[in-house]
Amino acid sequence: MYTNWDELESDCKSCRKCGLCETRTNVVFGVGNPKAKVLFVGEGPGENEDLQGEPFVGRGGQLLDKMLAAVDLDRKKNIYIANIVKCRPPKNRDPLPEEQKACTEWLRNQFALIRPKIVVCLGRIAAAKLIKEDIKITKEHGIFFEKNGTLFMGTLHPAALLRNPNNKPGAFEDFLKLRQKIDELGLES
Ligand code: SF4
């Protein structure tokens, strides 16, 4: 396990542990404050993220930033955002189980150094990986699950909200619940 964030980031950015290294432009390690108490985890980079080397920077990312701002959260200040896989799967397909497995070690190290109190899973893939395999994200979003002293909550993926705007109010409720939980726990976010 790593004890130094910069070393972790530098090693991750030169990783070639799975086939996704062949087609990526950039490794998308993550963005935010590594001392944050709240960690957001998505599934993997899309085209814009791959080009810019930062998670959630396309239209979905703009929507995410708006929802974050509404509950006083900001990727530059009080949260950290990472993905299950750090390199873009071709044509935005779901990351394969073996790719997720190969990449999990990076996220595990990020988790160990950040030591978040709350983890928000953005979308089904991240929620299935981190909360429970059979999670029904459309029904079980907004519910906090406690695991070894950390609270995990799944919410709908911003890209899914763009495809299906009817779900936006429900997702926004999740962000309100998150703010309530942050305040309740007295976290500095
Ligand atoms: S997806 Fe993860 S494991 Fe695969 S090459 Fe990229 S950083 Fe390494």
mmCIF file of all heavy atoms in Angstrom, residues 11-22 24 27-28 45 84-88 98-104 106, ligand 1:
data_model
loop_
_atom_site.group_PDB
_atom_site.id
_atom_site.type_symbol
_atom_site.label_atom_id
_atom_site.label_comp_id
_atom_site.label_asym_id
_atom_site.label_seq_id
_atom_site.Cartn_x
_atom_site.Cartn_y
_atom_site.Cartn_z
ATOM 1 N N ASP A 11 2.611 6.778 -10.118
ATOM 2 C CA ASP A 11 2.645 5.367 -10.557
ATOM 3 C C ASP A 11 1.382 5.005 -11.341
ATOM 4 O O ASP A 11 1.438 4.291 -12.343
ATOM 5 C CB ASP A 11 2.794 4.427 -9.351
ATOM 6 C CG ASP A 11 4.217 4.439 -8.816
ATOM 7 O OD1 ASP A 11 5.063 5.147 -9.393
ATOM 8 O OD2 ASP A 11 4.483 3.745 -7.810
ATOM 9 N N CYS A 12 0.244 5.485 -10.866
ATOM 10 C CA CYS A 12 -1.026 5.183 -11.541
ATOM 11 C C CYS A 12 -0.997 5.735 -12.966
ATOM 12 O O CYS A 12 -1.463 5.084 -13.910
ATOM 13 C CB CYS A 12 -2.187 5.777 -10.741
ATOM 14 S SG CYS A 12 -3.783 5.500 -11.508
ATOM 15 N N LYS A 13 -0.441 6.924 -13.119
ATOM 16 C CA LYS A 13 -0.440 7.572 -14.432
ATOM 17 C C LYS A 13 0.467 6.877 -15.452
ATOM 18 O O LYS A 13 0.428 7.201 -16.639
ATOM 19 C CB LYS A 13 -0.084 9.048 -14.294
ATOM 20 C CG LYS A 13 -1.266 9.831 -13.723
ATOM 21 C CD LYS A 13 -0.982 11.305 -13.627
ATOM 22 C CE LYS A 13 -2.264 12.061 -13.266
ATOM 23 N NZ LYS A 13 -2.015 13.480 -12.997
ATOM 24 N N SER A 14 1.303 5.953 -14.979
ATOM 25 C CA SER A 14 2.091 5.191 -15.954
ATOM 26 C C SER A 14 1.676 3.718 -15.990
ATOM 27 O O SER A 14 2.389 2.870 -16.521
ATOM 28 C CB SER A 14 3.592 5.337 -15.639
ATOM 29 O OG SER A 14 3.837 4.921 -14.328
ATOM 30 N N CYS A 15 0.492 3.428 -15.428
ATOM 31 C CA CYS A 15 0.035 2.029 -15.318
ATOM 32 C C CYS A 15 -0.261 1.397 -16.690
ATOM 33 O O CYS A 15 -0.839 2.024 -17.562
ATOM 34 C CB CYS A 15 -1.230 1.989 -14.457
ATOM 35 S SG CYS A 15 -1.965 0.352 -14.364
ATOM 36 N N ARG A 16 0.134 0.119 -16.810
ATOM 37 C CA ARG A 16 -0.187 -0.645 -18.018
ATOM 38 C C ARG A 16 -0.678 -2.036 -17.611
ATOM 39 O O ARG A 16 -0.357 -3.040 -18.230
ATOM 40 C CB ARG A 16 1.055 -0.757 -18.926
ATOM 41 C CG ARG A 16 1.597 0.615 -19.355
ATOM 42 C CD ARG A 16 2.685 0.524 -20.397
ATOM 43 N NE ARG A 16 2.199 -0.021 -21.662
ATOM 44 C CZ ARG A 16 1.564 0.687 -22.600
ATOM 45 N NH1 ARG A 16 1.345 1.961 -22.436
ATOM 46 N NH2 ARG A 16 1.150 0.106 -23.705
ATOM 47 N N LYS A 17 -1.493 -2.066 -16.526
ATOM 48 C CA LYS A 17 -1.906 -3.366 -15.987
ATOM 49 C C LYS A 17 -3.059 -4.025 -16.732
ATOM 50 O O LYS A 17 -3.397 -5.173 -16.466
ATOM 51 C CB LYS A 17 -2.293 -3.215 -14.503
ATOM 52 C CG LYS A 17 -1.088 -3.117 -13.575
ATOM 53 C CD LYS A 17 -1.457 -3.388 -12.120
ATOM 54 C CE LYS A 17 -2.280 -2.286 -11.527
ATOM 55 N NZ LYS A 17 -2.627 -2.493 -10.131
ATOM 56 N N CYS A 18 -3.738 -3.257 -17.604
ATOM 57 C CA CYS A 18 -4.791 -3.912 -18.392
ATOM 58 C C CYS A 18 -4.809 -3.327 -19.798
ATOM 59 O O CYS A 18 -4.130 -2.328 -20.075
ATOM 60 C CB CYS A 18 -6.162 -3.793 -17.712
ATOM 61 S SG CYS A 18 -7.011 -2.241 -18.006
ATOM 62 N N GLY A 19 -5.606 -3.930 -20.658
ATOM 63 C CA GLY A 19 -5.618 -3.573 -22.072
ATOM 64 C C GLY A 19 -6.065 -2.145 -22.348
ATOM 65 O O GLY A 19 -5.813 -1.620 -23.439
ATOM 66 N N LEU A 20 -6.724 -1.498 -21.403
ATOM 67 C CA LEU A 20 -7.211 -0.140 -21.663
ATOM 68 C C LEU A 20 -6.069 0.857 -21.852
ATOM 69 O O LEU A 20 -6.266 1.935 -22.395
ATOM 70 C CB LEU A 20 -8.134 0.319 -20.524
ATOM 71 C CG LEU A 20 -9.448 -0.466 -20.386
ATOM 72 C CD1 LEU A 20 -10.284 0.079 -19.238
ATOM 73 C CD2 LEU A 20 -10.245 -0.434 -21.680
ATOM 74 N N CYS A 21 -4.873 0.465 -21.430
ATOM 75 C CA CYS A 21 -3.721 1.375 -21.600
ATOM 76 C C CYS A 21 -3.394 1.570 -23.079
ATOM 77 O O CYS A 21 -2.797 2.561 -23.460
ATOM 78 C CB CYS A 21 -2.502 0.869 -20.829
ATOM 79 S SG CYS A 21 -1.780 -0.608 -21.537
ATOM 80 N N GLU A 22 -3.820 0.628 -23.918
ATOM 81 C CA GLU A 22 -3.476 0.705 -25.346
ATOM 82 C C GLU A 22 -4.244 1.804 -26.064
ATOM 83 O O GLU A 22 -3.785 2.333 -27.067
ATOM 84 C CB GLU A 22 -3.797 -0.638 -26.043
ATOM 85 C CG GLU A 22 -3.111 -1.857 -25.458
ATOM 86 C CD GLU A 22 -1.595 -1.836 -25.659
ATOM 87 O OE1 GLU A 22 -1.129 -1.092 -26.529
ATOM 88 O OE2 GLU A 22 -0.902 -2.571 -24.930
ATOM 89 N N ARG A 24 -6.015 4.517 -24.411
ATOM 90 C CA ARG A 24 -6.256 5.762 -23.670
ATOM 91 C C ARG A 24 -5.411 6.918 -24.221
ATOM 92 O O ARG A 24 -4.336 6.680 -24.809
ATOM 93 C CB ARG A 24 -5.903 5.570 -22.192
ATOM 94 C CG ARG A 24 -4.393 5.524 -21.974
ATOM 95 C CD ARG A 24 -4.020 5.212 -20.547
ATOM 96 N NE ARG A 24 -2.591 5.114 -20.397
ATOM 97 C CZ ARG A 24 -1.966 4.299 -19.548
ATOM 98 N NH1 ARG A 24 -2.667 3.485 -18.773
ATOM 99 N NH2 ARG A 24 -0.659 4.288 -19.457
ATOM 100 N N VAL A 27 -4.440 8.829 -18.459
ATOM 101 C CA VAL A 27 -4.962 8.135 -17.277
ATOM 102 C C VAL A 27 -5.704 9.200 -16.467
ATOM 103 O O VAL A 27 -5.179 10.283 -16.221
ATOM 104 C CB VAL A 27 -3.813 7.551 -16.425
ATOM 105 C CG1 VAL A 27 -4.357 6.969 -15.132
ATOM 106 C CG2 VAL A 27 -3.051 6.497 -17.206
ATOM 107 N N VAL A 28 -6.951 8.883 -16.114
ATOM 108 C CA VAL A 28 -7.741 9.853 -15.335
ATOM 109 C C VAL A 28 -7.696 9.420 -13.872
ATOM 110 O O VAL A 28 -8.504 8.611 -13.417
ATOM 111 C CB VAL A 28 -9.188 9.913 -15.884
ATOM 112 C CG1 VAL A 28 -9.995 10.955 -15.122
ATOM 113 C CG2 VAL A 28 -9.169 10.245 -17.368
ATOM 114 N N PRO A 45 -13.661 6.923 -17.325
ATOM 115 C CA PRO A 45 -13.641 8.126 -18.145
ATOM 116 C C PRO A 45 -14.369 7.938 -19.474
ATOM 117 O O PRO A 45 -14.348 6.853 -20.050
ATOM 118 C CB PRO A 45 -12.139 8.350 -18.410
ATOM 119 C CG PRO A 45 -11.400 7.387 -17.548
ATOM 120 C CD PRO A 45 -12.336 6.292 -17.178
ATOM 121 N N ILE A 84 -13.813 3.948 -10.970
ATOM 122 C CA ILE A 84 -13.439 2.540 -10.780
ATOM 123 C C ILE A 84 -12.288 2.176 -11.722
ATOM 124 O O ILE A 84 -11.314 1.568 -11.308
ATOM 125 C CB ILE A 84 -14.645 1.607 -11.089
ATOM 126 C CG1 ILE A 84 -15.807 1.882 -10.143
ATOM 127 C CG2 ILE A 84 -14.230 0.142 -11.097
ATOM 128 C CD1 ILE A 84 -15.719 1.256 -8.797
ATOM 129 N N VAL A 85 -12.406 2.537 -12.995
ATOM 130 C CA VAL A 85 -11.269 2.354 -13.914
ATOM 131 C C VAL A 85 -10.759 3.719 -14.359
ATOM 132 O O VAL A 85 -11.520 4.645 -14.562
ATOM 133 C CB VAL A 85 -11.586 1.459 -15.146
ATOM 134 C CG1 VAL A 85 -11.931 0.054 -14.733
ATOM 135 C CG2 VAL A 85 -12.643 2.055 -16.023
ATOM 136 N N LYS A 86 -9.449 3.800 -14.486
ATOM 137 C CA LYS A 86 -8.810 5.101 -14.718
ATOM 138 C C LYS A 86 -8.574 5.405 -16.197
ATOM 139 O O LYS A 86 -8.145 6.497 -16.532
ATOM 140 C CB LYS A 86 -7.451 5.158 -13.997
ATOM 141 C CG LYS A 86 -7.456 4.682 -12.543
ATOM 142 C CD LYS A 86 -8.355 5.509 -11.676
ATOM 143 C CE LYS A 86 -8.159 5.187 -10.197
ATOM 144 N NZ LYS A 86 -9.291 5.630 -9.386
ATOM 145 N N CYS A 87 -8.787 4.421 -17.060
ATOM 146 C CA CYS A 87 -8.587 4.648 -18.499
ATOM 147 C C CYS A 87 -9.907 4.404 -19.231
ATOM 148 O O CYS A 87 -10.687 3.532 -18.841
ATOM 149 C CB CYS A 87 -7.514 3.722 -19.057
ATOM 150 S SG CYS A 87 -5.941 3.873 -18.189
ATOM 151 N N ARG A 88 -10.119 5.148 -20.300
ATOM 152 C CA ARG A 88 -11.403 5.080 -21.016
ATOM 153 C C ARG A 88 -11.592 3.758 -21.743
ATOM 154 O O ARG A 88 -10.756 3.381 -22.578
ATOM 155 C CB ARG A 88 -11.459 6.211 -22.046
ATOM 156 C CG ARG A 88 -12.760 6.236 -22.798
ATOM 157 C CD ARG A 88 -12.668 7.121 -24.028
ATOM 158 N NE ARG A 88 -13.957 7.135 -24.724
ATOM 159 C CZ ARG A 88 -14.093 7.449 -25.998
ATOM 160 N NH1 ARG A 88 -13.051 7.793 -26.711
ATOM 161 N NH2 ARG A 88 -15.286 7.434 -26.562
ATOM 162 N N GLU A 98 -12.479 -7.924 -15.768
ATOM 163 C CA GLU A 98 -11.025 -8.046 -15.566
ATOM 164 C C GLU A 98 -10.343 -6.678 -15.529
ATOM 165 O O GLU A 98 -9.336 -6.497 -14.847
ATOM 166 C CB GLU A 98 -10.373 -8.965 -16.608
ATOM 167 C CG GLU A 98 -10.536 -8.553 -18.044
ATOM 168 C CD GLU A 98 -11.722 -9.248 -18.720
ATOM 169 O OE1 GLU A 98 -12.715 -9.544 -18.037
ATOM 170 O OE2 GLU A 98 -11.636 -9.485 -19.943
ATOM 171 N N GLU A 99 -10.915 -5.715 -16.264
ATOM 172 C CA GLU A 99 -10.354 -4.354 -16.225
ATOM 173 C C GLU A 99 -10.647 -3.712 -14.867
ATOM 174 O O GLU A 99 -9.781 -3.057 -14.271
ATOM 175 C CB GLU A 99 -10.942 -3.507 -17.363
ATOM 176 C CG GLU A 99 -10.500 -3.991 -18.740
ATOM 177 C CD GLU A 99 -11.403 -3.538 -19.871
ATOM 178 O OE1 GLU A 99 -12.478 -2.949 -19.600
ATOM 179 O OE2 GLU A 99 -11.051 -3.800 -21.031
ATOM 180 N N GLN A 100 -11.857 -3.930 -14.384
ATOM 181 C CA GLN A 100 -12.210 -3.395 -13.059
ATOM 182 C C GLN A 100 -11.303 -4.000 -11.996
ATOM 183 O O GLN A 100 -10.817 -3.309 -11.107
ATOM 184 C CB GLN A 100 -13.662 -3.716 -12.716
ATOM 185 C CG GLN A 100 -14.662 -3.023 -13.618
ATOM 186 C CD GLN A 100 -16.096 -3.249 -13.160
ATOM 187 O OE1 GLN A 100 -16.390 -3.284 -11.975
ATOM 188 N NE2 GLN A 100 -17.006 -3.402 -14.097
ATOM 189 N N LYS A 101 -11.083 -5.316 -12.128
ATOM 190 C CA LYS A 101 -10.254 -6.018 -11.145
ATOM 191 C C LYS A 101 -8.823 -5.470 -11.170
ATOM 192 O O LYS A 101 -8.227 -5.191 -10.129
ATOM 193 C CB LYS A 101 -10.265 -7.520 -11.462
ATOM 194 C CG LYS A 101 -9.728 -8.374 -10.370
ATOM 195 C CD LYS A 101 -10.119 -9.834 -10.569
ATOM 196 C CE LYS A 101 -9.419 -10.681 -9.529
ATOM 197 N NZ LYS A 101 -8.383 -11.534 -10.090
ATOM 198 N N ALA A 102 -8.294 -5.287 -12.383
ATOM 199 C CA ALA A 102 -6.910 -4.799 -12.498
ATOM 200 C C ALA A 102 -6.770 -3.404 -11.909
ATOM 201 O O ALA A 102 -5.746 -3.051 -11.332
ATOM 202 C CB ALA A 102 -6.485 -4.796 -13.965
ATOM 203 N N CYS A 103 -7.816 -2.604 -12.060
ATOM 204 C CA CYS A 103 -7.705 -1.191 -11.668
ATOM 205 C C CYS A 103 -8.074 -0.939 -10.212
ATOM 206 O O CYS A 103 -7.732 0.111 -9.652
ATOM 207 C CB CYS A 103 -8.586 -0.340 -12.582
ATOM 208 S SG CYS A 103 -7.909 1.297 -12.847
ATOM 209 N N THR A 104 -8.769 -1.866 -9.590
ATOM 210 C CA THR A 104 -9.290 -1.641 -8.241
ATOM 211 C C THR A 104 -8.205 -1.268 -7.236
ATOM 212 O O THR A 104 -8.449 -0.506 -6.300
ATOM 213 C CB THR A 104 -10.032 -2.911 -7.748
ATOM 214 O OG1 THR A 104 -11.101 -3.130 -8.644
ATOM 215 C CG2 THR A 104 -10.578 -2.757 -6.357
ATOM 216 N N TRP A 106 -5.770 0.699 -7.514
ATOM 217 C CA TRP A 106 -5.528 2.159 -7.467
ATOM 218 C C TRP A 106 -6.588 2.839 -6.611
ATOM 219 O O TRP A 106 -6.280 3.679 -5.776
ATOM 220 C CB TRP A 106 -5.519 2.749 -8.887
ATOM 221 C CG TRP A 106 -4.425 2.227 -9.758
ATOM 222 C CD1 TRP A 106 -4.563 1.585 -10.942
ATOM 223 C CD2 TRP A 106 -3.003 2.291 -9.516
ATOM 224 N NE1 TRP A 106 -3.337 1.235 -11.459
ATOM 225 C CE2 TRP A 106 -2.361 1.667 -10.602
ATOM 226 C CE3 TRP A 106 -2.228 2.802 -8.480
ATOM 227 C CZ2 TRP A 106 -0.978 1.547 -10.689
ATOM 228 C CZ3 TRP A 106 -0.848 2.697 -8.561
ATOM 229 C CH2 TRP A 106 -0.249 2.068 -9.657
HETATM 230 S S1 SF4 B 1 -7.564 1.008 -16.521
HETATM 231 FE FE1 SF4 B 1 -6.468 0.958 -14.587
HETATM 232 S S2 SF4 B 1 -5.400 -1.017 -14.570
HETATM 233 FE FE2 SF4 B 1 -5.981 -0.574 -16.683
HETATM 234 S S3 SF4 B 1 -4.181 0.435 -17.551
HETATM 235 FE FE3 SF4 B 1 -5.576 2.034 -16.833
HETATM 236 S S4 SF4 B 1 -4.885 2.514 -14.758
HETATM 237 FE FE4 SF4 B 1 -3.969 0.544 -15.323
#
